[in-house]
Amino acid sequence: MDDTSKPHKTLPIKEGIFKIKDGQYFLVGTRCKSCRRHLYPPVEICPFCFVRDVEEAYLSRRGKLQAWTVVWVPPAGFEAPYGVAYVDLPEKVRVFAHLADYKADGLKPGMEMELVIGKIKVDREGNEIIGPKFRPVANGG
Amino acid sequence: MRDVYILGVGMTKFGKFPEKRAVDFGREACWDAIQDAGVDRKDIEAAYCGHVYQGSVIGQLIMRELGLTGIPVVNVENACSSGSTAFREAYIAVAAGLYDLALVVGVEQLSTRVSGVLPPKDTDYEGTMGLIMPSVFALRGRLHMEKYGTTIEQFAKIRVKNSIHAAQNPRAQFRKVVTVEEVNGAKMVCEPLTMLHCCPNADGGAAAVICSEKVVRNYTARKLRVAASVLLSGTMEQAGDDMTVSSLTSRAAQQAYEKAGLGPEDLSLVELHDCFTTAELMHYENLGLCPRGEGGRMIDEGKTMLGGKIPVNVSGGLLCKGHPLGATGVGQIAEVVWHLRGEAGSRQVEGAKAGLTHCMGGAIGGVDGASCTVNIIVRD
Ligand SMILES: [Zn+2]
Ligand SMILES: [Zn+2]
């Protein structure tokens, strides 16, 4: 049972993987200064060219839907049903995220999607854990 | 490197046995393999144990039960490829000339640990985001449907086929033949995969005794040679990569075919990692059993059915024989050995000469799988 005497917090799924800029949420990854490739979530060492000379990079808020499914038998902490998807960003990064609406109709590979931040799960202490979600761009963007 | 041969195998029944411990499965499987091999226990020089959740030094706990103390014992964890990785470590040591006789065992007691889906990795971003194994193969399978017109009926037929095979395997967990309607009508797990598109959690053990070419003649005239034993890890998956392709499995298979000096057309049977129906269909393509996009046709035309051109998972596969993680890879090897010897009973693949086993395990973010093994075993 939830312990209602303790105030529950809202926490990011991982510190530093999304930030607000100009009033909008952005996913934050890494850009390698040597090969210029982007990675998400952020890394300390570029796995492609094995250098530590990497910098923080804000990633595009829109990308193309690759594949998705709706999970009906959830692992602990998750509330079913929830949709999960892979979205390819223009920076050539493939992001694993939730679907903002698991009931979203007419999803197609290649469809334009945009980032929102929302509830992913609830942790053992009852805190709401938020992270990246994607939804279809209205009117095809 | 020297040639390596399989002298004996053993396998417990797979299923849910909450009253038994991993040590029990290991002891029974090893006992059977040692009897089957006809070797003196004292001649076993080293042991390798594959498992995922069985804790520290499970291999030594099993060896103590057999009085096999004092020898080197190696414990191996590599997700669903743990047992086959243990097999490969033993193979390498024997091939290198370190030992002439080695014992491999794979065990898992899952039913007392996990109910429902295996928990996602909390040490990995995608795991913390709720990526469970069924979702990995659900979304890749769905993409295969979009890309090639593969249908949910074709995926369901994989389960039906494997259930028909398992009905003839006394060691299988599920021996009831199911229909396409039953498979697709079961409880939804991850769209479009219902419970019956997913392999069950299982308990069990499997073992093998392997030896060098130097001593094989002392034991048998029936030489079953390990023609290839390959292990690889996944590579970075980037935007634009085709998610209907497991480049990890394709690369491992290619290496194994090259090492063995044969191709998919030379195989008599295949035991592949059908953790989900979608996985089996896509692995037809990854292992080169058919061209890309034709997995659906393979199952429609009955090519992978017992009696077909290339029977796949005649044991019942993970879907129906059961998937006790650490035992799975060694169990596949036992199945191939029984067929190469003509000892597989009513599910025998007639005149089997060469068999391939394949495991792939572990979902981690950014790469296309954690571990993959491919073994090819031939009758010389
Ligand atoms: Zn780089
Ligand atoms: Zn598996």
Side-chain angles (χ1 to χ4, degrees):
Chain A
M1 292 308 286
D2 273 8
D3 178 5
T4 44
S5 63
K6 232 173 25 191
H8 294 157
K9 287 177 280 192
T10 300
L11 301 169
I13 186 119
K14 193 174 180 206
E15 208 58 59
I17 63 165
F18 54 86
K19 291 182 182 172
I20 296 179
K21 194 175 82 177
D22 306 330
Q24 280 190 313
Y25 274 116
F26 285 82
L27 290 181
V28 177
T30 304
R31 194 178 72 123
C32 171
K33 287 187 185 170
S34 169
C35 70
R36 302 189 173 272
R37 283 191 178 94
H38 288 80
L39 284 131
Y40 173 87
V43 296
E44 295 293 326
I45 299 170
C46 172
F48 296 100
C49 47
F50 200 58
V51 301
R52 305 191 70 105
D53 196 11
V54 298
E55 62 187 358
E56 184 180 270
Y58 282 67
L59 302 173
S60 300
R61 301 188 63 259
R62 287 185 179 185
K64 289 193 187 324
L65 180 64
Q66 295 303 306
W68 69 96
T69 181
V70 178
V71 179
W72 289 88
V73 178
F78 290 81
E79 202 179 298
Y82 65 94
V84 293
Y86 285 97
V87 175
D88 284 0
L89 303 185
E91 290 85 4
K92 270 209 114 202
V93 171
R94 179 166 285 169
V95 174
F96 179 72
H98 280 215
L99 288 172
D101 178 8
Y102 78 92
K103 285 182 298 230
D105 256 349
L107 294 177
K108 279 272 162 210
M111 187 179 235
E112 190 85 354
M113 306 288 280
E114 69 180 352
L115 175 74
V116 291
I117 295 296
K119 180 183 164 187
I120 301 293
K121 61 180 175 182
V122 173
D123 73 7
R124 279 197 204 91
E125 288 79 48
N127 301 310
E128 183 174 272
I129 306 299
I130 57 169
K133 295 183 163 192
F134 280 88
R135 67 178 176 212
V137 173
N139 308 319
Chain B
M1 297 286 267
R2 309 183 295 175
D3 277 340
V4 175
Y5 297 85
I6 303 176
L7 282 179
V9 291
M11 188 186 133
T12 69
K13 187 175 164 59
F14 287 179
K16 284 193 167 45
F17 307 106
E19 73 286 0
K20 289 196 172 127
R21 305 161 305 154
V23 165
D24 300 322
F25 302 121
R27 179 189 61 239
E28 297 310 316
C30 287
W31 174 267
D32 287 352
I34 292 168
Q35 302 301 319
D36 187 44
V39 301
D40 188 333
R41 180 193 62 167
K42 292 192 197 72
D43 292 334
I44 294 171
E45 296 168 279
Y48 295 80
C49 178
H51 73 99
V52 179
Y53 293 112
Q54 306 311 307
S56 179
V57 298
I58 180 68
Q60 285 87 334
L61 291 169
I62 295 165
M63 293 311 131
R64 188 184 62 187
E65 301 260 320
L66 299 159
L68 275 166
T69 50
I71 59 170
V73 177
V74 180
N75 294 285
V76 176
E77 186 281 311
N78 222 0
C80 299
S81 313
S82 296
S84 46
T85 303
F87 177 83
R88 181 171 177 272
E89 287 303 309
Y91 161 85
I92 291 168
V94 172
L98 210 52
Y99 313 119
D100 283 314
L101 204 58
L103 175 63
V104 184
V105 59
V107 290
E108 208 71 45
Q109 165 50 264
L110 264 186
S111 62
T112 56
R113 280 186 170 72
V114 183
S115 69
V117 295
L118 296 176
K121 276 215 149 341
D122 59 5
T123 48
D124 178 62
Y125 163 74
E126 294 192 1
T128 62
M129 286 285 291
L131 185 76
I132 49 175
M133 284 315 287
S135 57
V136 173
F137 286 96
L139 51 81
R140 286 169 194 261
R142 170 124 80 186
L143 197 58
H144 202 278
M145 295 167 76
E146 294 274 353
K147 188 167 177 189
Y148 295 113
T150 311
T151 64
I152 190 64
E153 283 71 31
Q154 287 172 323
F155 288 129
K157 280 183 189 174
I158 303 259
R159 176 69 185 236
V160 173
K161 167 184 72 75
N162 290 354
S163 79
I164 294 167
H165 291 162
Q168 301 171 75
N169 185 355
R171 291 179 178 85
Q173 180 170 9
F174 294 137
R175 302 191 59 202
K176 188 178 155 285
V177 174
V178 295
T179 63
V180 166
E181 293 69 35
E182 284 169 328
V183 175
N184 286 339
K187 183 183 167 197
M188 187 56 74
V189 175
C190 271
E191 292 177 14
L193 304 183
T194 66
M195 195 75 96
L196 291 185
H197 284 270
C198 310
C199 70
N201 292 340
D203 313 323
V209 175
I210 66 170
C211 75
S212 67
E213 61 189 12
K214 190 176 137 205
V215 301
V216 66
R217 262 176 246 96
N218 303 347
Y219 296 104
T220 184
R222 200 170 45 179
K223 287 161 70 178
L224 303 183
R225 182 167 52 88
V226 183
S229 187
V230 172
L231 165 69
L232 291 176
S233 61
T235 49
M236 301 296 291
E237 198 169 62
Q238 286 181 278
D241 287 352
D242 184 350
M243 293 188 79
T244 66
V245 171
S246 164
S247 78
L248 174 53
T249 291
S250 301
R251 287 185 300 121
Q254 204 47 50
Q255 276 194 20
Y257 291 137
E258 266 166 42
K259 174 83 177 30
L262 47 78
E265 64 284 355
D266 300 310
L267 299 172
S268 316
L269 74 152
V270 170
E271 287 284 304
L272 62 73
H273 206 80
D274 57 329
C275 41
F276 302 92
T277 55
T278 47
E280 175 166 325
L281 191 141
M282 291 189 282
H283 287 321
Y284 294 163
E285 301 169 14
N286 296 321
L287 294 172
L289 307 182
C290 69
R292 294 271 168 218
E294 289 188 16
R297 227 173 90 187
M298 288 290 277
I299 188 73
D300 277 348
E301 293 175 356
K303 288 202 168 117
T304 55
M305 184 83 182
L306 183 59
K309 189 166 151 263
I310 175 68
V312 172
N313 289 330
V314 284
S315 67
L318 281 60
L319 285 166
C320 296
K321 185 175 70 175
H323 184 22
L325 313 173
T328 291
V330 188
Q332 291 176 327
I333 287 165
E335 181 71 12
V336 166
V337 164
W338 289 323
H339 285 274
L340 296 180
R341 287 177 179 169
E343 293 174 354
S346 61
R347 66 180 192 282
Q348 176 68 42
V349 174
E350 288 310 323
K353 283 198 185 71
L356 178 148
T357 69
H358 158 258
C359 287
M360 188 176 133
I364 55 174
V367 298
D368 63 344
S371 62
C372 179
T373 53
V374 174
N375 292 291
I376 297 176
I377 303 156
V378 298
R379 180 155 53 87
D380 272 350

